[in-house]
Amino acid sequence: MTIRLGYQMPNFSYGRSVRELFPTVIAQAGEAEAAGFDTVFVMDHFYQLPGLGAPDAPMLESYTALGALATATERIQLSALVTGNTYRNPALLAKTVTTLDVVSGGRAVLGIGAGWFELEHQSYGFEFGTFTERFERLDEALQIIHPMLRGEHPTFEGKWYHTEKAMNEPRIRDDLPILLGGGGEKKTFGLAARYADHLNIICNASELPRKIAALHERCAEVGRDPKTLEVSYLCFLMIDEDGDRVRKQQQDMMRGMGVDLSTLSEEERRQTPADRQFVGTPAEVAEQLQSRVLDHGVQGLIVNMVTNGHEPGAVDLAGRTLAPLVG
């Protein structure tokens, strides 16, 4: 597996000065590397996302941050989860991730998706377009990026992009992995079946059986053995030796979204973001992830720790708990 255990940093609001921000990011990446995580991810956004904070909360540009992390780590893979295709010309993105691979000594992964956060597009002047158009763009982009990562010189004339014998040197390798992220059973899963080495599924955990079945259908449509496509799941992790502490953090976080978990039935709870949250002591979290995720045919876990990942020791506890689950 390219990715069995990944650590994503979606939050840079640490209650510290801006000068202390990136040292905290480096500390998390180093702790993840030492604790058995194989990949560290940052988000490719310019504003903080709804549900995680206000738009003006701290957010780093992804590839600059990843390049800096390459010099501060030794073994862990580096990726965006996921690069918004609409934010960059695809040939430039191929060059960018290949440069990250060179800088890191062969540790880059290209995580990519269609893009979805309309506010960023409006504010920064990127064309947002329709849902269909964004996936048309992603399909064309992958037809350029995939061969460029493998040393080919694609000439491509599409509706949205074109290249003329686009070169991409230097490269360390011809098998830089491509990860697609999302939950779309037709478009995202279809593109993953055609182009990706790895699919990170983003959905509520109760939807996983249906998602895995849909992915197998997309693979069958293009004649691909689904066993050749790695699959991981993105989950929100709240883990502490004091389970009551993180359960309170979950309650507070969900109330901030306008959801009072104490008033919901189990079925109602499955319709909220709490269904992709895994909360409690190490033993409780391990059991939840095994029964709700891994038992459904998912091989890898990518976790974020929005509430306490920046606290020293939190990432280490997560790694020691989860590494045995994914082997």
Side-chain angles (χ1 to χ4, degrees):
M1 286 272 296
T2 303
I3 302 162
R4 283 197 178 273
L5 187 58
Y7 177 65
Q8 183 204 33
M9 285 180 267
N11 175 35
F12 302 110
S13 298
Y14 304 137
R16 303 169 185 175
S17 72
V18 174
R19 291 188 182 277
E20 296 175 291
L21 191 161
F22 203 71
T24 305
V25 171
I26 291 173
Q28 290 176 78
E31 196 169 308
E33 185 171 62
F37 287 89
D38 53 53
T39 312
V40 65
F41 297 89
V42 297
M43 297 199 302
D44 186 35
H45 287 289
F46 312 118
Y47 294 168
Q48 184 53 281
L49 305 187
L52 296 181
D56 63 351
M59 182 57 60
L60 299 176
E61 193 282 318
S62 60
Y63 282 95
T64 307
L66 290 169
L69 285 177
T71 68
T73 55
E74 295 179 358
R75 300 178 308 279
I76 201 162
Q77 295 179 119
L78 304 164
S79 182
L81 191 70
V82 288
T83 309
N85 178 63
T86 46
Y87 298 141
R88 297 169 187 82
N89 169 280
L92 174 61
L93 177 57
K95 170 62 80 173
T96 299
V97 74
T98 300
T99 299
L100 176 63
D101 205 45
V102 171
V103 170
S104 65
R107 293 186 282 132
V109 175
L110 173 61
I112 190 167
W116 62 271
F117 195 8
E118 187 171 8
L119 176 62
E120 291 179 330
H121 292 76
Q122 292 174 343
S123 296
Y124 274 59
F126 294 112
E127 183 177 353
F128 188 60
T130 66
F131 177 83
T132 297
E133 289 171 341
R134 292 196 300 280
F135 273 94
E136 287 177 351
R137 287 174 178 265
L138 180 57
D139 192 339
E140 288 192 9
L142 287 166
Q143 293 179 62
I144 294 169
I145 294 168
H146 188 276
M148 287 185 68
L149 295 184
R150 281 142 184 81
E152 301 173 26
H153 302 165
T155 294
F156 181 84
E157 190 66 44
K159 177 180 178 182
W160 301 101
Y161 305 115
H162 73 274
T163 59
E164 296 180 12
K165 299 179 180 179
M167 294 183 288
N168 186 28
E169 301 295 341
R171 290 172 300 102
I172 284 180
R173 53 182 171 155
D174 293 334
D175 58 353
L176 194 159
I178 295 176
L179 174 156
L180 259 70
E185 297 174 15
K186 293 185 178 179
K187 293 183 182 296
T188 298
F189 289 9
L191 290 174
R194 289 165 57 197
Y195 297 110
D197 303 286
H198 190 105
L199 173 66
N200 179 243
I201 298 179
I202 303 172
C203 67
N204 280 5
S206 58
E207 300 175 308
L208 271 172
R210 188 184 79 239
K211 299 293 184 183
I212 295 296
L215 176 60
H216 287 191
E217 291 175 5
R218 301 293 85 76
C219 287
E221 288 167 359
V222 297
R224 180 171 184 175
D225 182 349
K227 293 179 182 178
T228 67
L229 178 58
E230 302 172 2
V231 179
S232 63
Y233 175 70
L234 176 65
C235 49
F236 289 71
L237 193 68
M238 301 177 196
I239 184 172
D240 196 283
E241 297 289 0
D242 182 351
D244 289 338
R245 176 176 182 253
V246 285
R247 278 186 280 271
K248 183 180 185 304
Q249 290 176 345
Q250 181 192 34
Q251 293 278 354
D252 292 344
M253 179 179 176
M254 293 302 296
R255 284 195 188 98
M257 299 180 188
V259 178
D260 185 351
L261 293 178
S262 67
T263 67
L264 301 183
S265 68
E266 191 60 36
E267 181 58 34
E268 290 171 330
R269 188 185 180 101
R270 291 193 188 102
Q271 309 306 312
T272 75
D275 195 52
R276 60 185 72 182
Q277 296 169 355
F278 300 80
V279 184
T281 65
E284 289 170 335
V285 165
E287 190 283 325
Q288 293 167 29
L289 285 166
Q290 186 66 54
S291 62
R292 295 170 56 196
V293 178
L294 298 173
D295 285 350
H296 295 296
V298 173
Q299 301 112 358
L301 299 169
I302 298 175
V303 305
N304 60 45
M305 302 173 67
V306 176
T307 58
N308 68 342
H310 61 287
E311 297 176 1
V315 175
D316 177 70
L317 177 62
R320 288 189 286 108
T321 301
L322 304 186
L325 299 180
V326 294

